[in-house]
């Protein structure tokens, strides 16, 4: 089991470090057991409306989609030995987004945000993921999303 977690963590850390927009956002992950929480540390550059101030809707969307892909990669690299096929850069080929629908529930304030993904369906060619983002309490999300992804083929 430790070997599986080591592979998962290594892959997720490489994705966070090597995807330029994700690196610019500053997304990191907090793992507790098998639960992965994405963290978006607050920065002034993430503000979309300086009057409120509130996180930019595009930042929220990118954070949710990044969390969905991270959750999907985390699930694929499971105990069954399933792997993502490596691309030319050595990183696993990421699932491709087919569609992604976001519900903005309330504005997100000027502080850190958190998100968790739940893989609803994971097949060999197709996956479905739901994501929620919050700031103060997971019981009070500011945005939620659902997405469908095409899994990379070898």
């Amino acid at each position: 089991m430790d070997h599986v977690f080591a592979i998962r963590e290594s892959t997720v850390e490489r994705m966070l470090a090597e995807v330029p927009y994700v690196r610019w956002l500053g997304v990191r992950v907090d793992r507790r057991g098998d639960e992965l929480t994405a963290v978006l540390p607050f920065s002034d550059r993430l503000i979309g409306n300086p009057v409120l101030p509130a996180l930019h809707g595009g930042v929220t969307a990118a954070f949710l989609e990044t969390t969905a892909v991270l959750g999907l990669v985390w699930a694929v690299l499971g105990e069954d030995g399933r792997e993502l096929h490596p691309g030319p850069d050595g990183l696993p080929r990421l699932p491709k987004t087919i569609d992604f629908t976001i519900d903005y529930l309330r504005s997100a304030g000027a502080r850190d945000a958190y998100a968790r993904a739940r893989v609803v369906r994971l097949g060999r060619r197709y996956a479905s993921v739901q994501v929620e983002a919050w700031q103060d309490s997971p019981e009070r999300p500011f945005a939620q999303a659902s997405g469908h992804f095409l899994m990379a083929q070898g």
Side-chain angles (χ1 to χ4, degrees):
M1 190 64 157
D2 289 340
H3 177 67
V4 171
F5 280 127
I7 291 172
R8 286 173 165 175
E9 286 181 337
S10 169
T11 301
V12 166
E13 290 301 323
R14 285 190 59 207
M15 288 173 51
L16 294 175
E18 296 187 27
V19 176
Y21 190 62
V22 173
R23 192 174 54 235
W24 183 83
L25 289 173
V27 175
R28 59 182 172 79
V29 295
D30 180 29
R31 178 181 74 84
R32 304 204 183 212
D34 200 26
E35 185 177 84
L36 194 69
T37 303
V39 180
L40 178 66
F42 174 73
S43 169
D44 285 336
R45 66 183 179 199
L46 304 179
I47 293 295
N49 183 340
V51 175
L52 293 176
L55 286 181
H56 190 280
V59 167
T60 299
F63 180 51
L64 288 169
E65 189 170 359
T66 298
T67 302
V69 171
L70 290 173
L72 197 49
V73 167
W74 190 264
V76 169
L77 298 173
E79 298 175 42
D80 61 357
R82 190 170 167 189
E83 297 180 4
L84 292 171
H85 302 285
D89 58 0
L91 270 175
R93 289 187 181 160
L94 298 178
K96 294 181 180 177
T97 304
I98 297 171
D99 65 38
F100 200 75
T101 303
I102 301 168
D103 296 323
Y104 296 95
L105 306 174
R106 59 186 52 86
S107 61
R111 53 192 180 276
D112 293 353
Y114 309 91
R116 277 194 205 119
R118 184 172 68 90
V119 177
V120 177
R121 181 186 185 280
L122 179 59
R124 291 173 40 98
R125 297 186 50 87
Y126 167 85
S128 180
V129 181
Q130 294 180 339
V131 188
E132 284 190 343
W134 71 92
Q135 291 185 305
D136 300 322
S137 166
E139 307 303 318
R140 190 170 154 75
F142 64 85
Q144 60 189 21
S146 63
H148 302 103
F149 297 87
L150 182 65
M151 303 303 291
Q153 301 297 306

